[in-house]
Amino acid sequence: MTDLEDTQPKPENKKDEPRVGVYVCHCGGNISDVVDVEKVVAEAAQLPGVAVSRTNMFMCSDPGQKMIQEDIQKGLVDNFVVAACTRSLHETTFASLLARNGVNPYLLEQANIREQCSWPHHGQEAATAKAFTLVRAAVAKARRLVPLNPVRVEATNCALVIGGGVAGLRAAGDLSKLGIKVVLVEREKELGGFVRRLDALYPDEEPATALLSRLVEAVRTDSGIVVHTNSEVTGIEGYIGNFTAQVRKNSDSKAGEIRIEAGTIIVATGFRSYQPAKKELGYQKLSRVVTLADFNELLVASAGDSAVLEFEGKPVRSVGFVHCVGSRQIEGVHKPGENGNINRYCSRVCCTATLHTACRLRRRFPDMEIHDFYQDIRTYGRGHEDYYEQASKSDVIFHRYRAESPPRVAKAPAADEYNLLITVEDSLTAGEEIEVGVDILVLAVGMMPADNATIIDNLKLASSSDGFLQEVHPKLRPVEMAVNGVLLAGACQAPKDITESCASASAAAIKAAAILRKGYVELDPYVVKVDLARCEGTGLCVEECPLDGALHMVGEGNERHVEVNPAICNGCGCCVAVCPTRALQVSGWTLDQYEAMVDAIVADPVEVSS
Amino acid sequence: MSETNLKAPPKILILATSSCGYTGADATGQAHLSYPPNTYIIDVPSPCVFPENFYYRCLERGIDGIIVMSCGVECPFEGAYERLAAKLDRVSLGLKKRGIKQGRLKLCSVCTVCTKAFLKEVNEMNDLLIKEQEESS
Ligand SMILES: Cc1cc2nc3c(=O)[nH]c(=O)nc-3n(C[C@H](O)[C@H](O)[C@H](O)COP(=O)(O)OP(=O)(O)OC[C@H]3O[C@@H](n4cnc5c(N)ncnc54)[C@H](O)[C@@H]3O)c2cc1C
Ligand code: SF4
Ligand code: SF4
Ligand code: SF4
């Protein structure tokens, strides 16, 4: 079956057969302790198309790279096979080596003989045979590699920021300073988002109004930023560099639709608060059960210097706080919400927000009884723990409940001193059931993902299992979405406080500016390419393509053929599989290359001539 | 299958997605977990690229078993996984028609850290093919 190996067509645009260089790495002993590297090199030298075959102790080291460089400078090699570790580790090392030496970096194929050979396999003979087979398959592909160039797309110098909370405001301000035009769209009449409902903010006690007026002022007075409040994004299409959004203006005076063209989009749609289920902890059944945000507003509304807090016309003598309402839910204990899911995650912000409020309450009302019902205290951020310490030292009484048995809330009997009766199994007193009287019970409700259905559907964005928008990688690409050109800022990504929201907003702004400042973007070349000579214009591919606008038919009669928009195509290959004439191929990953690799894998062993 | 292949260990082709299966195979190697060496992993951004006849061709040419290790519903390519699953169902029927054991082609999901799932799939396919070899010899 040896002769099979070369039945596959090779690239036609090269006059001569490319000469392949094979570079096999020892990786210290990581590879060569198991694989007989010298044997692999000798066998590789016999393969059709191979011009040089060499080995080095550490291919990624300077001497290893130099070896390849010398072959390039001597003009011995056109296409390259590095047989070493897995691609993700050193692809950039070797690709940049080629680029630095004037070789197209896509003329590189790697054989993974470490992670997928010397490490999992032990017998030398079998591992060596496999390593050679992997090299042979890589050579088969390398012979069919052609130079590729990144797809270049012109980019509109404008970023669309959706959402005008702290994150959207921060991102808009930063972008404009970097010389990027911004259009900010906010659904509500006013900018500021959830922070508009807050008073003094942790960790530095700055009043929310002060923070917001600084951010809003900066945006409103900046001529590079256009703000549309009372406006909603109703549709988005396009791709990095060239998005178009439909925005509906809802204000009475200026109702109507507008179109916004933008090169990048920053999603800063924030969160919505968990709405407790009917009767959950007495909510909506008992008027004295309120959310933390409601309670904050009550504190602001009550006159600053009065010695008593009043609610429903009566003095408040005892207040209880419950943590984790609508967060850290457990299957079987908590009822799923409208979306059919429970919220397993921790909302992160509510522990500190609750203790911060408890401390403020204590400062204003030194004699008030304050109870805190918690599962765990997660005051994780800088300065957050101080609130816990302050609360503990100022007679806030802590009761620890378990998720399986949350506190029970009832209206207190008329004869009782307080309005509500809370019963809780307190694990701080060995699980003893205790009763606590309060006048107001404050629920620290969690943060839930905003309703992003339009944006998600239109842009085909990914969300994580908890419903928040999901970045490509939490550490390596923390503010980018998988859809090129779409970035994340603030609490639409996960529960975050203001510090964290602004940090991600600034990061997203920098990323967006990096994309737009050049005036064009360069995308991976791994997209579909049409061979016009083969396209018979059936249009089957257009039907199969999952992405709107990636493929479309042009021309009439015999001239009818498909055209690709390389900025939209993601290279999924669905169209390739249905084309009856193989007119379509994903650049860098063609069917011919795959088939040649398979043929190399099934080919008989080579005889090494001495 | 050629006669030599009957005696040699079965050749298993693994089409592994770059973002999931391939990384899962790497993780298995990084943990130095052992599996049969008669396995050949090809990195594939999206296995949706393969037409049905690609699979038949592999088997005709001498591949004994094919495992497609995809990302499952986590597939980063919108709409591709559903198409892949439907296609492999059709290929599986096609194998039956051709009198080839359907177990020789398998679609599974292996994530970036799924070393156990990777080992299970590889070992199951290897056991199945060896059993088949023994029965037919
Ligand atoms: C009770 C409580 C107390 C808190 N206290 C503090 C504190 O003291 N200190 C602190 O650091 N953090 C605090 N936080 C956290 C803080 O509220 C958040 O970090 C912050 O609001 C996140 O900002 P954002 O811009 O990401 O989201 P948001 O504030 O939610 O703003 C999002 C904005 O986007 C708009 N929007 C949404 N969808 C669309 C759409 N489709 N089109 C147009 N516009 C849209 C919304 O109307 C909103 O204006 C607290 C949170 C809670 C719940
Ligand atoms: S190229 Fe990879 S395999 Fe070779 S020495 Fe460097 S790390 Fe090891
Ligand atoms: S931050 Fe605290 S209150 Fe909020 S969900 Fe997490 S543990 Fe519960
Ligand atoms: S590769 Fe995928 S996205 Fe690109 S044109 Fe083909 S089917 Fe559409």
Side-chain angles (χ1 to χ4, degrees):
Chain A
M1 228 187 282
T2 322
D3 56 328
L4 266 180
E5 203 196 328
D6 273 318
T7 55
Q8 283 307 299
K10 278 167 227 78
E12 288 141 25
N13 56 346
K14 274 210 165 177
K15 271 191 232 99
D16 305 307
E17 267 276 308
R19 293 158 304 165
V20 177
V22 175
Y23 302 91
V24 186
C25 185
H26 284 252
C27 198
N30 275 292
I31 294 172
S32 51
D33 284 352
V34 182
V35 170
D36 182 346
V37 167
E38 299 300 336
K39 184 163 188 248
V40 173
V41 167
E43 288 180 345
Q46 310 285 314
L47 291 171
V50 172
V52 301
S53 178
R54 305 187 199 283
T55 143
N56 193 279
M57 192 50 80
F58 297 101
M59 207 53 86
C60 56
S61 67
D62 279 349
Q65 294 197 43
K66 236 195 185 104
M67 194 172 89
I68 301 177
Q69 184 168 12
E70 276 169 16
D71 283 350
I72 298 174
Q73 286 165 351
K74 286 188 198 146
L76 297 178
V77 176
D78 303 305
N79 296 1
F80 298 78
V81 169
V82 176
C85 45
T86 188
R87 193 160 65 89
S88 56
L89 206 62
H90 276 306
E91 185 177 36
T92 5
T93 310
F94 297 115
S96 356
L97 169 68
L98 298 193
R100 278 199 308 278
N101 287 281
V103 177
N104 184 287
Y106 296 96
L107 296 175
L108 167 73
E109 175 63 14
Q110 284 175 262
N112 184 346
I113 60 167
R114 193 179 74 172
E115 281 80 353
Q116 294 179 7
C117 187
S118 68
W119 281 352
H121 307 321
H122 304 307
Q124 199 197 38
E125 198 182 327
T128 303
K130 172 165 174 177
F132 171 65
T133 304
L134 295 179
V135 168
R136 185 182 217 170
V139 168
K141 178 165 180 184
R143 297 179 75 194
R144 289 157 181 85
L145 289 174
V146 294
L148 300 175
N149 293 306
V151 177
R152 198 177 150 139
V153 179
E154 300 304 313
T156 312
N157 174 16
C158 174
L160 168 64
V161 177
I162 307 176
V166 282
L169 291 166
R170 171 91 271 158
D174 284 10
L175 272 165
S176 185
K177 282 200 202 102
L178 293 163
I180 307 296
K181 292 201 168 49
V182 182
V183 178
L184 174 68
V185 177
E186 166 58 53
R187 193 163 47 198
E188 302 291 323
K189 211 162 75 205
E190 278 175 62
L191 295 170
F194 190 83
V195 175
R196 281 195 301 127
R197 297 195 64 187
L198 301 175
D199 182 24
L201 300 170
Y202 74 73
D204 56 6
E205 302 301 316
E206 180 177 21
T209 44
L211 173 75
L212 284 183
S213 56
R214 267 192 293 131
L215 285 171
V216 172
E217 174 83 2
V219 163
R220 288 282 190 193
T221 54
D222 189 326
S223 59
I225 304 176
V226 178
V227 179
H228 299 284
T229 46
N230 243 326
S231 301
E232 215 168 333
V233 173
T234 52
I236 313 182
E237 53 180 29
Y239 46 86
I240 185 168
N242 297 278
F243 291 106
T244 309
Q246 293 297 126
V247 172
R248 189 174 55 226
K249 302 206 73 156
N250 296 325
S251 66
D252 303 331
S253 56
K254 285 186 276 179
E257 290 258 335
I258 52 169
R259 242 169 79 100
I260 293 165
E261 317 243 307
T264 56
I265 296 176
I266 295 186
V267 184
T269 50
F271 68 99
R272 77 199 145 93
S273 295
Y274 172 75
Q275 180 71 21
K278 249 213 157 97
K279 296 194 195 159
E280 179 178 2
L281 295 158
Y283 190 71
Q284 284 185 339
K285 190 175 140 212
L286 302 166
S287 61
R288 287 173 170 271
V289 178
V290 300
T291 65
L292 184 56
D294 293 338
F295 186 69
N296 272 317
E297 282 170 346
L298 173 71
L299 277 185
V300 174
S302 70
D305 50 359
S306 86
V308 279
L309 180 66
E310 287 203 356
F311 187 66
E312 295 182 341
K314 287 187 193 143
V316 174
R317 297 146 300 175
S318 170
V319 172
F321 293 92
V322 187
H323 290 234
C324 300
V325 180
S327 305
R328 305 177 66 195
Q329 293 180 316
I330 293 178
E331 204 95 52
V333 174
H334 297 99
K335 283 202 202 86
E338 284 163 25
N339 56 5
N341 294 336
I342 56 168
N343 303 334
R344 290 195 175 79
Y345 55 90
C346 165
S347 291
R348 299 176 75 250
V349 170
C350 20
C351 268
T352 309
T354 301
L355 293 168
H356 174 228
T357 303
C359 290
R360 286 163 56 223
L361 192 63
R362 168 58 75 235
R363 278 201 298 278
R364 269 184 64 188
F365 308 103
D367 299 326
M368 189 176 280
E369 228 181 88
I370 304 177
H371 295 270
D372 186 294
F373 302 93
Y374 75 103
Q375 295 184 52
D376 299 289
I377 299 290
R378 296 185 168 175
T379 44
Y380 64 93
R382 186 198 290 162
H384 296 196
E385 187 77 357
D386 297 351
Y387 294 108
Y388 184 31
E389 202 178 318
Q390 238 181 70
S392 311
K393 286 189 178 149
S394 61
D395 293 332
V396 172
I397 306 161
F398 287 89
H399 309 273
R400 188 172 191 182
Y401 73 90
R402 288 176 306 115
E404 303 78 41
S405 58
R408 297 193 301 279
V409 184
K411 198 166 166 43
D416 274 20
E417 192 182 349
Y418 300 111
N419 286 279
L420 299 171
L421 187 64
I422 317 299
T423 313
V424 63
E425 275 173 43
D426 188 348
S427 59
L428 298 179
T429 52
E432 190 189 343
E433 189 163 280
I434 58 170
E435 289 184 341
V436 176
V438 298
D439 292 321
I440 294 187
L441 187 67
V442 181
L443 309 185
V445 294
M447 294 164 97
M448 290 187 55
D451 174 11
N452 290 317
T454 310
I455 305 170
I456 289 179
D457 289 352
N458 281 236
L459 288 173
K460 309 244 192 291
L461 299 182
S463 40
S464 56
S465 57
D466 53 25
F468 288 94
L469 293 174
Q470 190 166 28
E471 68 288 332
V472 178
H473 189 283
K475 298 185 185 69
L476 303 178
R477 294 171 67 187
V479 297
E480 292 163 80
M481 301 280 317
V483 176
N484 273 327
V486 182
L487 303 156
L488 289 172
C492 59
Q493 184 179 19
K496 288 181 194 172
D497 69 9
I498 298 171
T499 311
E500 295 161 331
S501 297
C502 289
S504 68
S506 288
I510 290 282
K511 280 277 168 201
I515 294 171
L516 298 180
R517 273 180 106 163
K518 283 188 291 186
Y520 63 90
V521 285
E522 287 194 332
L523 310 176
D524 270 345
Y526 307 125
V527 294
V528 149
K529 210 173 149 196
V530 187
D531 181 347
L532 286 184
R534 288 191 180 188
C535 178
E536 290 178 349
T538 55
L540 290 171
C541 50
V542 182
E543 278 166 45
E544 187 70 4
C545 175
L547 299 186
D548 298 336
L551 292 178
H552 64 278
M553 300 305 293
V554 292
E556 292 298 327
N558 281 346
E559 301 286 284
R560 193 172 152 76
H561 67 268
V562 70
E563 236 174 47
V564 185
N565 184 337
I568 299 183
C569 172
N570 64 14
C572 72
C574 296
C575 57
V576 173
V578 298
C579 176
T581 53
R582 288 216 176 169
L584 299 175
Q585 293 296 346
V586 179
S587 297
W589 305 89
T590 69
L591 284 180
D592 296 343
Q593 291 168 350
Y594 284 122
E595 286 177 351
M597 290 177 90
V598 171
D599 292 347
I601 290 169
V602 296
D604 293 335
V606 291
E607 294 290 324
V608 180
S609 49
S610 48
Chain B
M1 264 190 286
S2 71
E3 229 180 320
T4 45
N5 260 339
L6 278 179
K7 285 171 219 126
K11 286 196 161 154
I12 301 175
L13 177 69
I14 300 175
L15 302 170
T17 54
S18 316
S19 38
C20 303
Y22 196 85
T23 325
D26 279 350
T28 311
Q30 276 147 8
H32 293 263
L33 297 167
S34 170
Y35 57 90
N38 47 312
T39 42
Y40 305 92
I41 304 172
I42 297 188
D43 189 357
V44 187
S46 157
C48 227
V49 74
F50 300 119
E52 290 167 43
N53 63 23
F54 175 85
Y55 297 96
Y56 304 132
R57 184 185 180 281
C58 289
L59 296 172
E60 278 159 20
R61 297 267 166 138
I63 295 289
D64 298 283
I66 306 172
I67 312 176
V68 182
M69 291 191 178
S70 83
C71 311
V73 288
E74 309 271 291
C75 172
F77 297 96
E78 171 77 22
Y81 179 70
E82 295 71 24
R83 286 167 171 77
L84 173 70
K87 177 157 39 194
L88 290 193
D89 281 346
R90 290 194 298 275
V91 176
S92 186
L93 287 178
L95 292 180
K96 199 173 167 189
K97 267 201 209 128
R98 288 166 162 78
I100 300 171
K101 278 236 170 72
Q102 286 165 300
R104 286 175 59 189
L105 171 67
K106 170 114 194 249
L107 170 65
C108 60
S109 309
V110 169
C111 74
T112 52
V113 293
C114 280
T115 52
K116 275 199 190 124
F118 177 86
L119 291 174
K120 174 179 161 276
E121 297 298 343
V122 168
N123 287 322
E124 276 180 13
M125 179 62 85
N126 196 44
D127 292 348
L128 180 117
L129 295 175
I130 288 177
K131 205 169 132 225
E132 226 183 284
Q133 274 188 351
E134 285 166 0
E135 281 167 8
S136 69
S137 64

